[in-house]
Each structure stands twice: as structure tokens, then as C-alpha cells.
């Protein structure tokens, strides 16, 4: 059995920021474990920026940022968390800058800031349009400097919890095929989101919600899983992200008539309305027959109003992506775009110190020694819809807070251990896939699942489609019991990992759909045609989905209150959300 | 829907068997090489292994050789790779050991960053400013290209020096070292320039073949960074090393005789002063040249004293003029050292 004081799973911004914080205590042995090398983590794909009210470009304040965040999240945001996020934003940015982050600069030599959807001030700090990459790189560099142990290309199989005390992890070394137990007094999940269950997505192949499902299987309820953000500017077909920074810099979105249709949906903000609103507007235009290209399944984003020089300087990745992946030069022509599954608002419930806990239960941690941060978690700073550039900020701020949360308790935690019995689930799962001899194929089930989720649990939802969706997901779960894989080897067996990941996708897809059926209102990223209005009386509350016990047919749903108690100001009262 | 043949270089670690395998894939317009590999993996042979993640050229996982050149398979269109309907050959990256199929052991490449300590070393003797350090747009723009590295290893895979020298830091690590040398927030500029000058496998081992710039899927321009590091290192006074002596010997030979002076070059590279003062290491270095020199002599590549006359008087005059012109020209990347120093002070002071 391998052993560390602290084990962090996932090596994106949240995981690495937390590890860096924990490593400031030289008496602690901290390790990071990730199924991809840290530099491959999906945080690196974030393009447009990281929000903080530095006020470098225009007057700004943390409570303005907080208000934008709460409103952007359609008031499902926990206000204690949004307060922490926005108050601590600037110092976190300066800290990254001091670590050497390659932020673009303004004329005064300060960190440059630009506009982003749903933010009333220009507060997106950026590194051209590769901000995530810049932050990810700098955090990894500093981890190397600290000499933090990294289990690179190790796949976490199972979270071990005994008597409500987290013991550690069972993990699979992708290179050797060995299964190892790794005990730790504190485990943190920064394992990312779950967008891969949708056909059109910006998410990396790796974003399969592994951590979320491991927590769920360990008995922790998942919060607000039905809230999935569809980003309005995915490249047609592949769904590859074109940064919102394009709109921040002045790109227009037009329908087949050449009309900037946001005029009809959010005249006050036009293209810079929050993502859920722009995505729905696009979908409505497409469904009304005003889509573009032969398929009529997309609308146009026109970058030309920005001007060639600025496009080249501020949006080089957008320029390259459109050229390389759509064969279109945005300097000459508009780019067809469509809504694409982008961000997972839901996840593992935790408090503002990263401690995993079930809210509304008087503060006592449910599971000792288990933390979460970033997209895998649900604090909830994003509520029903995340604003652009708040995700990187959350990963950094909450990653640091989780690191400090761990430092606060870890010295008082007892050493843990994992025995063979605790490893049985993980060993059994791997063994099952390696020896299964059914006729079903992972690739086929996965493709069908992604179609189902996209078409029936997408930008707009209704009861009938969602119920069909759920029934299809259950069919896939059944078929998944009868699969076989081709690769039975022990070295770099990605066929095996595909199967394990599909198991995760099938499990959380059921949770998303179940939560979506139950929530009979429209709020943020969850838009019901049959319940088009927000219903605060009945639904201003978080969903908590528990894994079914023996005899239960599906996830058991409970609900808990939204936090309305920020410490340093009055809470923002619920208002109608218009832009 | 067109069909495209892919020939994949495969390796099975369980049987230690290398072989080529051909697959036919239906391709749609816009399909990438990575899409095609996935089509093979998901529909034809699940045992095919390769790394991938973001599929839009930012995570750096899927660099591999396509028709002999390293590139990101996610960024490579099938149409562009398939010339004249030929099969597309896909193989693992070069200069690294193959683990399975298209998966290589990236540690050798990634370890170079640790060796070069490519992370920011803050100033120890002072607190950072309350807000951000100030950096002028021009300063940032000067080096930011080198910060766009996605660590995909394409440059290292195709590097002609890494192919023969295990010690070479490689284009990516050197470009990243450059990024910190240039960044006014870093406190180890001097130490870095010294290390990069004197380390075996440092800046002087690049042969300027340009393969790294060609292979890089981003805008890093590793070789340009290495060349600028050389200039900076010389300016900083790191001249007493093999690389600089070789460089100068090379130049003085050409300037004097209009041709490469193979006889004198080793002596100049090792250092005449070092040899004359009886430096044992220097004499050992000379001895190391002997086998190579004998080979050159045998193949008549090494000119004897009688043959070393070089260019005639007219030719030498022209050569001298070229040298003078080049020396008068400012290097396009050259940084005004004084101005840099001043900016440096402002930056450290922050607000």
C-alpha cells in the first residue's frame, strides 16, 4: 500500500493550486494523481480569461462581481461562496502573476482586462486567448519547483470510505496495469466536469465525470447535476470551443437573414448576455428555420467587426481553430457555430473550505478527510449558470481554499489504511471488463448515449423527452452489462479505460436526467419548454441526488436551501433576471 | 464518403513485436487524423493505443508522426495528409522509447524541463509588490511566443541533435528557459545564462537545422529562442566555454581564409590558452578529437597545412566586407541591454 498525508486527484487548476498550498507545509507529504499528465489537464483548454475585479480597465468592485455572479447563476448561487470567490479574486490573480503567469498587459504594464458575457465591468484577465494554458503551465512549474510527487497517468478507480472516514483511493497504473491502494489522511477531488455525455461538447475526452461518480458510489449525494451549461459558440459539428473572448472583443452573432438576433433576446447586452441566454437564443433561431449552412443547424459568428490586427493579437487561437478545424478563415468569412455542452455546474457538494459535506445539515462534515474543488465540486458559486471566466477563478480560489482547509485539519487526522477487502470493488471492476465476453461495444453505446443526452436533455427540455431520455439511458446501462473489449493487455490499455469511463457516463447521465425531470421550472442552464418560468417558491433550492439503495429504482432526490448569508454584505435578494 | 488507407506502426509490449498494420477508414470532409484513429479504435481494433484528450490542439497529448513528421494528429486534416491518395503513415514520436503502438515514454522529454529548472524563481530578498509586477506590452510581446509551448514533444521528436545526443536539453526546454531569462519577474537570469552556456547539451549544441520550428504546432519558435539565448549569453560575458570558442574559431577561420579551417577549429574550440597552460581536461578534449580527425584525414576531408591557403586576396576582401556589414546590422531580436536593465528596475518595483 502506498501512503501519503494528502492525496489530490486531478491535476487541473483546482488540484494543482490545492497541492501547491498544501506543499507550503514541509512536514506534509502531498501527492497528485491524474489520469493524464498534469500539463494535459482540461483546464488548459480554457481560453478567454479569469475574472477578478482588479479595476485595471474600468472601475470595478468585488460586490459588483458578486452581484453579476449571483444574477448570472439565476439566484441559485450560494451567496457565501460567491462572496468568497469575488472578494479573494484579485489577490489570487496577483499571486498567479507573481508566480510568472504570462498575462497579457495593458498600456500601463498591468494585467490586461476585457469584457465578458454577464459581467458589467471589463474584468476578464487574460493571456491572449489561452488563459487556461497560461495558468495551468505556471502552476505545474511551481509544483515542479516544490518537488511535489505526481502519479502521472494513474487512473483513480475507487474512493475508499469507512465509517464516514475517507481512507484513500484505489488506483490503476495505466503504464503497468497494476492496481494499487494509496492511503491518505485527506483526499481532494479536482477531477473536472462531465460534459462528455453530450454529442456536441467542448470537453476533452478525459472529461467523463470520474470523480463525481466515485463520490456518488461512495454514498455522497450529487448536487444540482441537471445544470449543464451549453456554450453558445462551439464550432458547428465538433463543438470545439471558440472563446467567448471573441464576443468580448466585439464579434457579432447573426442568423440566416444576417440579423443580430440578440436584439430580440437581450437588447441590453446583445452578444454579451450570459451563455445560457445566448445559447437558447441560437437554438430558438435554428428551430425557427433561421439557421445557416446546408444543415441549418447553426448560426454565424462574425469576427470581422473586431478588425484583423486585433484578431491576430488578442484571438490567435480562435483564428487558428476556425482555420484548422472548420476550414474557414474568420478574417474573410463568418464562422458557423452552435450550442455545445461546456460546463458542469453540478457536482460534489462542498463548503467554502472545500470540505465535502451535505448542505443544510448544520455544518458537521459528513465524511472526514474528503475535499473537492473546481468543476467536480458544487460549492455552489455558479448556481444554475456559470459566467464566463468564473470557472478558472473558482478553480484557483477554491483550490487554494481547499488546500488551506486541508492544512487546517490534516494534522489532527488519524492515519488511514486500505486492506484487500477495500480494494475488492475496484479489482472486481477491472477484472470484469478484462474478462467480459458480451456482444455489446463500448463505442456504440457511448455514441448512442451522447445522441440521447444531446437531443433529449439539451438546451431545451420537456417532460416527455426527458422521460424518453431516462428510459434510453437505462437501456444503455442494461446493454453495458453485456459488453466486451478488445484489449486484454496490461500496458497502456486505453480500451479498458474507455469502458470504465462509459460506466461513469451512464451513471451520471441518469442523475442529470432524473434531476431535470423533477425540476419543474426553468432556471439558468435548465430550460423547460413545459415550465418556462423560474419558480422561486418551489424551486429556489439545490437538488441532492443519492445513489439508489437496494430496491430503489433510481436516484433518490432531496433538496436543500440556497445559502443567502454572505458575511460582509447584505444578500442580494431574488429578482427577475433580464438583460 | 471516401475511403482512406492508414498504415500504422504498431508495437506490442507483451510480445515485444513491432509491425505495420493497414486500416481503411471512411472519411468525411473535415475529418482529422485523430478522428480516423478513433474510428479505427472504436470500430475495428480496440487494442490500438494512443494518447489524446482535448482534440483541439491545446493539451499536447496526441503528437505523433504523420508521414514521417511530428504533428498533432487532432490538428491534421486527413485531406491535407493524404497526398495524391497515398496511404497515410502514422507512427510514434521519435527520440523516445515506444511503450505501446503510438504511445511513447515522454519522461525523457519532460525531464529536460526539470533539468533546466524552467520555473519562475522569485526574488528572495524582497516582497513581491502588493499588486502585479508591471511589464511593458513590448517586453511581454517579445517573449510571450515562447510561453505558448504545449509540451507536446513534436520539436523534441524531430530534433536532429536529440537523435544523437542524450544530453541535449532539446528545443522546448531551451525555449522555456529563454522565456524565464527574458521575464523581468525572474531572479535567476544570470545563473540561467551561465547554466545554458556551460551545461552539456545546452544552447551551443543546437545545429540550427530548423526542424523544431517546423514541427512546432504553436508559435514557440524554439530555434529563434536558442539563437537569442546565445547572443544574450555572450553579452553577459559567458564566453569561456566550448560553444563560444567553437563559434568564434569557426568565424575567425572563415574571416581569415574564406573557408572552414578544420585543422585549427578543434584547437580553438578547446581553447589555446587552456592547452598552453597545460590544462589536463583540455588535453583530454583534444585527444577525444583524434579518432574523428583520423577519419577525416582518411576521407580527405581534413585539409593539410599545404592545402590551407583558402580564398584569394579579392575573395578575402569581399568576405571582410560581409563581416563588417553583418556586424553593423543589429540583430532583429537584439535587446538593448541598458533599456532592459531600466525596465527591470521598474518591474521589480511594481506599483
Amino acid at each position: 500500500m502506498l501512503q501519503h498525508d494528502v492525496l489530490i486527484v486531478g491535476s487541473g487548476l483546482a488540484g494543482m493550486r490545492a497541492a501547491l498550498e498544501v506543499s507550503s507545509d514541509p512536514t506534509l507529504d502531498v501527492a497528485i494523481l491524474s489520469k493524464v499528465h498534469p500539463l494535459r489537464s482540461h483546464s488548459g483548454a480554457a481560453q478567454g480569461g479569469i475574472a477578478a475585479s482588479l479595476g485595471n480597465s474600468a472601475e470595478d468592485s468585488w460586490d459588483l462581481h458578486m452581484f453579476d455572479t449571483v444574477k448570472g447563476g439565476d439566484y441559485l448561487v450560494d451567496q457565501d461562496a460567491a462572496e468568497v470567490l469575488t472578494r479573494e479574486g484579485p489577490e489570487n490573480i496577483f499571486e498567479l502573476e507573481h508566480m510568472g503567469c504570462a498575462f497579457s498587459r495593458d498600456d500601463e504594464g498591468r494585467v490586461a482586462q476585457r469584457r465578458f458575457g454577464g459581467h458589467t465591468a471589463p474584468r476578464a484577465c487574460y493571456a491572449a486567448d489561452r488563459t487556461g494554458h497560461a495558468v495551468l503551465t505556471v502552476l505545474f512549474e511551481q509544483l515542479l519547483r516544490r518537488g511535489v510527487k505526481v502519479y502521472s497517468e494513474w487512473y483513480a478507480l475507487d474512493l475508499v470510505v469507512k465509517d464516514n472516514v475517507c481512507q484513500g483511493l484505489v488506483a490503476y497504473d495505466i503504464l503497468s496495469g497494476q492496481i494499487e491502494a494509496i492511503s491518505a489522511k485527506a483526499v481532494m477531488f479536482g477531477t473536472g466536469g462531465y460534459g462528455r455525455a453530450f454529442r456536441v461538447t467542448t470537453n476533452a475526452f478525459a472529461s467523463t465525470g470520474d470523480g463525481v461518480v466515485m463520490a456518488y458510489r461512495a454514498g455522497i449525494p450529487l448536487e444540482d447535476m441537471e445544470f449543464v451549461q451549453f456554450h453558445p459558440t462551439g464550432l458547428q459539428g465538433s463543438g470545439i470551443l471558440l472563446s467567448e473572448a471573441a464576443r468580448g472583443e466585439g464579434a457579432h452573432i447573426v442568423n440566416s437573414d444576417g440579423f443580430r438576433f440578440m436584439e430580440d433576446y437581450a437588447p441590453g447586452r446583445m452578444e454579451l448576455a450570459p451563455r445560457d441566454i445566448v445559447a437558447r437564443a441560437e437554438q430558438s433561431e435554428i428551430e425557427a428555420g433561421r439557421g445557416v449552412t446546408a444543415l441549418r443547424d447553426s448560426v454565424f459568428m462574425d469576427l470581422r467587426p473586431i478588425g484583423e490586427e486585433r484578431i491576430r493579437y488578442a484571438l490567435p487561437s480562435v483564428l487558428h481553430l476556425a482555420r484548422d478545424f472548420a476550414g474557414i478563415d474568420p478574417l474573410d468569412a463568418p464562422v458557423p457555430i452552435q450550442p455545445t455542452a461546456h460546463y458542469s455546474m453540478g457536482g460534489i457538494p462542498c463548503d467554502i473550505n472545500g470540505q465535502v459535506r451535505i448542505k443544510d445539515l448544520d455544518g458537521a462534515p459528513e465524511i472526514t478527510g474528503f475535499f473537492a474543488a473546481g468543476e467536480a465540486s458544487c460549492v455552489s458559486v455558479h448556481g444554475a449558470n456559470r459566467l464566463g471566466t468564473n470557472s478558472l477563478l473558482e478553480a484557483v480560489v477554491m483550490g487554494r481554499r481547499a488546500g488551506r482547509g486541508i492544512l487546517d485539519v490534516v494534522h489532527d487526522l488519524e492515519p488511514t489504511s486500505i486492506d484487500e477487502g477495500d480494494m475488492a470493488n475496484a479489482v472486481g471492476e477491472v477484472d470484469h471488463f478484462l474478462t467480459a465476453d458480451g456482444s455489446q461495444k463500448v463505442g456504440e453505446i457511448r455514441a448512442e448515449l451522447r445522441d440521447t443526452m444531446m437531443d433529449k436533455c439539451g438546451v431545451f427540455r420537456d417532460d416527455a423527452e426527458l422521460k424518453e431520455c431516462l428510459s434510453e439511458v437505462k437501456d444503455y446501462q442494461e446493454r453495458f452489462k453485456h459488453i466486451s473489449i478488445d484489449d486484454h493487455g496490461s500496458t497502456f490499455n486505453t480500451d479498458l479505460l474507455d469502458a470504465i469511463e462509459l460506466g461513469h457516463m451512464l451513471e451520471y447521465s441518469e442523475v442529470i436526467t432524473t434531476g431535470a425531470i423533477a425540476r419543474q421550472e426553468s432556471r439558468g442552464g435548465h430550460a423547460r419548454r413545459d415550465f418556462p418560468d423560474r419558480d422561486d417558491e418551489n424551486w429556489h433550492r439545490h437538488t441532492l441526488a443519492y445513489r439508489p439503495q437496494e430496491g430503489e429504482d433510481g436516484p433518490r432526490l432531496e433538496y436543500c436551501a440556497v445559502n443567502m448569508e454572505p458575511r460582509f454584505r447584505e444578500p442580494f435578494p431574488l429578482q427577475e433576471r433580464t438583460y | 464518403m471516401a475511403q482512406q488507407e492508414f498504415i500504422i506502426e504498431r508495437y506490442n509490449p507483451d510480445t515485444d513485436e513491432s509491425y505495420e498494420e493497414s486500416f481503411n477508414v471512411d472519411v468525411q470532409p473535415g475529418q482529422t487524423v485523430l478522428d480516423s484513429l478513433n474510428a479505427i479504435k472504436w470500430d475495428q481494433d480496440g487494442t490500438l493505443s494512443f494518447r489524446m484528450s482535448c482534440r483541439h490542439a491545446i493539451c499536447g497529448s496526441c503528437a505523433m508522426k504523420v508521414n514521417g513528421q511530428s504533428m498533432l494528429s487532432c490538428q491534421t486534416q486527413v485531406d491535407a495528409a493524404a497526398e495524391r491518395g497515398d496511404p497515410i503513415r502514422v507512427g510514434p514520436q521519435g527520440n523516445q522509447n515506444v511503450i505501446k503502438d503510438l504511445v511513447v515514454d515522454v519522461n525523457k522529454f519532460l525531464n529536460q524541463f526539470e533539468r533546466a529548472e524552467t520555473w519562475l524563481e522569485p526574488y528572495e530578498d524582497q516582497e513581491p509588490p502588493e499588486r502585479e509586477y508591471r511589464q511593458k506590452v513590448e517586453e511581454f510581446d517579445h517573449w510571450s511566443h515562447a510561453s505558448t509551448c504545449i509540451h507536446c514533444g513534436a520539436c523534441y521528436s524531430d530534433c536532429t541533435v536529440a537523435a544523437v545526443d542524450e544530453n541535449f536539453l532539446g528545443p522546448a526546454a531551451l525555449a522555456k528557459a529563454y522565456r524565464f531569462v527574458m521575464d523581468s519577474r525572474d531572479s535567476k537570469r544570470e545563473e540561467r545564462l551561465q547554466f545554458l552556456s556551460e551545461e552539456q547539451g545546452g544552447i551551443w549544441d543546437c545545429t540550427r537545422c530548423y526542424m523544431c520550428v517546423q514541427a512546432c504546432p504553436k508559435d514557440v519558435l524554439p530555434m529563434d529562442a536558442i539563437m537569442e539565448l546565445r547572443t544574450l549569453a555572450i553579452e553577459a560575458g559567458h564566453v569561456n566555454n566550448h560553444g563560444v570558442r567553437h563559434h568564434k574559431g569557426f568565424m575567425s577561420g572563415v574571416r581569415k581564409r574564406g573557408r572552414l579551417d578544420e585543422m585549427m577549429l578543434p584547437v580553438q574550440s578547446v581553447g589555446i590558452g587552456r592547452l598552453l597552460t597545460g590544462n589536463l581536461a583540455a588535453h583530454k578534449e583534444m585527444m577525444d578529437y583524434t579518432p574523428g580527425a583520423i577519419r577525416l584525414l582518411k576521407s580527405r576531408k581534413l585539409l593539410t597545412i599545404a592545402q590551407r591557403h583558402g580564398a584569394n586576396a579579392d575573395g578575402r576582401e569581399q568576405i571582410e566586407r560581409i563581416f563588417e556589414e553583418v556586424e553593423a546590422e543589429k540583430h532583429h531580436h537584439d535587446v538593448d541591454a541598458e533599456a532592459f536593465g531600466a525596465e527591470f528596475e521598474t518591474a521589480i518595483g511594481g506599483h
Side-chain angles (χ1 to χ4, degrees), chain A residues 8 27 59 72 101 116 135 141 144 249 258 260 270 280 300 335 393 423 465 479 509 524 572:
Chain A
I8 289 165
T27 67
E59 199 168 311
C101 187
F116 240 76
V135 180
E141 287 160 1
L144 274 185
E249 297 283 353
R260 287 176 72 187
M270 294 297 286
R280 277 196 293 278
F300 277 137
V335 187
L393 183 67
M423 295 174 67
E465 279 188 351
R479 280 166 58 192
S509 292
F572 291 108

Side-chain angles (χ1 to χ4, degrees), chain A residues 228-241:
Chain A
V228 175
Q229 177 172 83
F230 289 83
H231 194 295
T233 60
L235 271 182
Q236 180 201 24
S238 65
I240 287 173
L241 174 67

